């Protein structure tokens, strides 16, 4: 079995020590593939004098060249011709720029056991049919946003009876229809089947506030769930305390906190992160996380806040083996959480200023031999 598939089909999704050897082999194979197929990536490795054969221990993962996610917004970096890719997706691009990430067929195959294992572990998968209210974009062939694909995929975690979208496609653009979604929730509360609300946390927050202001509270059927994906930053919303959001969801929709799921991921790192019952994102075996000093990029010890560096050998169409996000966060030992998941937990605390990230991207561009990227 190829090393990537061996890692993604491993049966224990949070047993990092048991998967270390598989992860290292898959990372070395992935890096060698990108060096052979992506001239830009090969140039970076050459300038940093990095040879994937030197990956022997988990400490060595820190030496893999780290590409800032901003680089994928400025450069089309691929390791495969487009005709061989399964699909291409983009980040949401609120600032007008977005990453273009190609997916190969093998990455989609590897995602299947990851999503099934973690979906079962976090009780997202159910055989009971459910109605879906998506507080996000209606899919369309011209919409390549990763988050649209993710939310649509999440509607299949139980047999979908219906789908209602809060952002509806009209011609070439989207119009928000939160009122339509609110009407759907009122109608579905009378259904014998549960409802799944899938969406951006900011949309849920706005929707709950509006409903509550109008005195329109509903009681969704027992077994109804809320699945939050896409993060807060997509729509420039003020982040509210999670406890306030969860309390409002219970007051307005009748969904208790243990039926609210929070997901984390990025188009440049499409690993399926699920919040544990204590709202922490434990690192699954498909991923390794390093926290780096924003100035020196040196890896930081547990508990210290720095730039989040995500590593996964999932993708071969795009060299996203090791990417630097523009998020700040810290790691904690898994056993400190108390939920029973043993792997370290990642907490995201915010974003760094764009100027810092530009500096980081400019450095990477220099390595590509392209000079300043602004
Ligand atoms: Zn936990």
């Amino acid at each position: 079995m190829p090393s990537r598939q061996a890692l993604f089909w491993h049966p224990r999704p949070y047993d990092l020590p048991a998967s270390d050897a598989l992860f290292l082999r898959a990372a070395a194979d992935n890096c060698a593939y990108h060096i052979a197929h992506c001239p830009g990536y090969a140039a970076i490795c050459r300038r940093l004098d990095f040879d994937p054969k030197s990956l022997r221990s988990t400490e060595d993962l820190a030496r893999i060249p780290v590409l800032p996610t901003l680089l994928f917004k400025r450069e089309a970096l691929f390791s495969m011709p487009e005709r061989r890719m399964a699909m291409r997706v983009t980040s949401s691009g609120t600032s007008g720029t977005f990453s273009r990430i190609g997916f190969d067929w093998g990455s989609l195959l590897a995602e299947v056991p990851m999503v099934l294992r973690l979906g079962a572990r976090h009780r997202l998968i159910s055989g009971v049919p459910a109605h879906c209210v998506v507080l996000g974009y209606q899919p369309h062939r011209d919409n390549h946003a990763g988050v649209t694909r993710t939310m649509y995929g999440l509607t299949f975690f139980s047999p979908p009876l219906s789908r209602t979208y809060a952002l509806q496609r009209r011609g070439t653009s989207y119009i928000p229809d939160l009122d339509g979604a609110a009407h759907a929730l009122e109608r579905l509360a009378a259904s014998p089947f549960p409802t799944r609300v899938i969406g951006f946390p900011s949309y849920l927050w706005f929707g709950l506030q509006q409903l509550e202001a109008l005195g329109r509270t509903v009681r969704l059927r027992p077994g109804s769930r809320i699945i939050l994906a896409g993060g807060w930053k997509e729509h420039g919303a003020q982040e509210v305390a999670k406890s306030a959001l969860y309390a409002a969801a219970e007051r307005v929709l009748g969904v208790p906190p243990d039926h609210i799921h929070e997901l984390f991921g990025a188009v440049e790192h499409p690993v399926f992160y699920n919040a544990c019952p204590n709202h922490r994102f434990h690192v699954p075996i498909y991923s390794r996380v390093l926290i780096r000093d924003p100035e020196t990029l040196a890896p930081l010890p547990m508990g210290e806040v720095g730039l989040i560096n995500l590593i996964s050998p999932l993708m071969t169409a795009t060299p996203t083996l090791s990417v630097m996000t523009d998020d700040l966060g810290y790691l904690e030992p898994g056993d400190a959480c108390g939920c029973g998941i043993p792997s370290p937990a990642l907490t995201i605390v915010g974003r760094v200023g764009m100027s810092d990230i530009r500096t980081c991207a400019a450095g990477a561009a220099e390595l590509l031999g392209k000079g300043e990227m602004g």
Side-chain angles (χ1 to χ4, degrees):
M1 189 186 268
S3 57
R4 169 175 58 171
Q5 299 299 338
L7 173 68
F8 279 80
W9 290 77
H10 188 276
R12 294 196 299 282
Y14 289 113
D15 191 345
L16 265 51
S19 69
D20 276 345
L22 284 173
F23 192 95
L24 276 170
R25 200 177 329 134
D29 289 350
N30 186 269
C31 188
Y33 181 91
H34 292 305
I35 288 172
H37 294 91
C38 179
Y41 189 79
I44 291 172
C45 289
R46 212 164 35 244
R47 292 192 189 210
L48 294 176
D49 198 21
F50 179 75
D51 182 347
K53 289 198 195 75
S54 69
L55 282 176
R56 293 200 186 86
S57 75
T58 50
E59 284 73 46
D60 295 330
L61 293 171
R63 293 191 294 104
I64 297 173
V66 188
L67 307 192
T69 52
L70 191 66
L71 189 65
F72 295 98
K73 295 182 168 71
R74 304 292 176 87
E75 299 282 326
L77 270 187
F78 295 117
S79 304
M80 182 178 282
E82 198 178 339
R83 64 188 150 75
R84 282 188 51 211
M85 293 177 192
M87 61 177 184
R88 275 169 71 170
V89 304
T90 59
S91 59
S92 55
T94 43
S95 55
T97 58
F98 47 83
S99 298
R100 284 158 294 175
I101 304 293
F103 282 66
D104 59 294
W105 290 102
S107 69
L108 299 188
L109 178 66
E111 281 188 321
V112 171
M114 167 179 77
V115 167
L116 290 180
R117 279 213 174 83
L118 291 174
R121 170 88 181 228
H122 293 279
R123 301 186 299 134
L124 278 171
I125 294 175
S126 165
V128 180
H131 295 282
C132 295
V133 176
V134 180
L135 305 180
Y137 298 95
Q138 185 175 19
H140 185 272
R141 64 178 181 279
D142 292 335
N143 181 332
H144 302 290
V147 70
T148 305
R149 167 187 173 249
T150 300
M151 288 186 189
Y152 182 66
L154 287 167
T155 65
F156 290 98
F157 278 49
S158 57
L161 291 170
S162 68
R163 294 185 184 89
T164 307
Y165 292 94
L167 287 168
Q168 298 201 350
R169 188 86 182 184
R170 290 283 185 279
T172 56
S173 60
Y174 280 93
I175 55 157
D177 186 14
L178 272 177
D179 205 43
H183 280 299
L185 288 169
E186 285 170 338
R187 195 177 68 244
L188 295 173
S191 161
F193 292 100
T195 296
R196 292 188 162 207
V197 180
I198 300 162
F200 294 109
S202 53
Y203 272 56
L204 178 66
W205 178 243
F206 291 141
L208 292 174
Q209 281 185 310
Q210 281 192 359
L211 285 174
E212 196 160 41
L214 296 169
R216 289 160 65 181
T217 60
V218 299
R219 285 286 159 275
L220 296 176
R221 302 290 303 174
S224 294
R225 292 179 185 275
I226 294 173
I227 306 169
L228 302 174
W232 287 88
K233 58 192 176 192
E234 310 293 342
H235 301 282
Q238 288 289 96
E239 182 155 3
V240 293
K242 272 181 200 171
S243 54
L245 176 69
Y246 283 32
E250 187 157 29
R251 274 198 317 273
V252 179
L253 300 177
V255 179
D258 65 346
H259 280 56
I260 301 177
H261 305 261
E262 206 178 335
L263 307 175
F264 162 73
V267 290
E268 302 90 353
H269 185 81
V271 170
F272 193 53
Y273 274 76
N274 287 259
C276 76
N278 298 329
H279 316 303
R280 290 195 178 88
F281 292 113
H282 293 268
V283 180
I285 58 169
Y286 325 100
S287 181
R288 294 295 184 274
V289 177
L290 293 173
I291 303 296
R292 292 181 185 265
D293 184 304
E295 298 289 323
T296 67
L297 298 186
L300 293 171
M302 286 258 179
E304 288 192 28
V305 174
L307 283 166
I308 300 175
N309 173 199
L310 302 167
I311 305 171
S312 176
L314 175 59
M315 315 283 275
T316 56
T318 319
T320 55
L321 173 59
S322 180
V323 294
M324 189 75 85
T325 68
D326 46 7
D327 290 318
L328 289 167
Y330 61 92
L331 287 169
E332 290 170 288
D335 47 20
C337 177
C339 72
I341 297 177
S343 70
L346 172 66
T347 299
I348 301 150
V349 295
R351 305 184 86 179
V352 285
M354 280 309 287
S355 59
D356 300 332
I357 289 295
R358 286 218 178 86
T359 310
C360 196
E366 252 163 50
L367 292 169
L368 275 167
K370 304 227 171 163
E372 187 69 29
M373 297 177 80

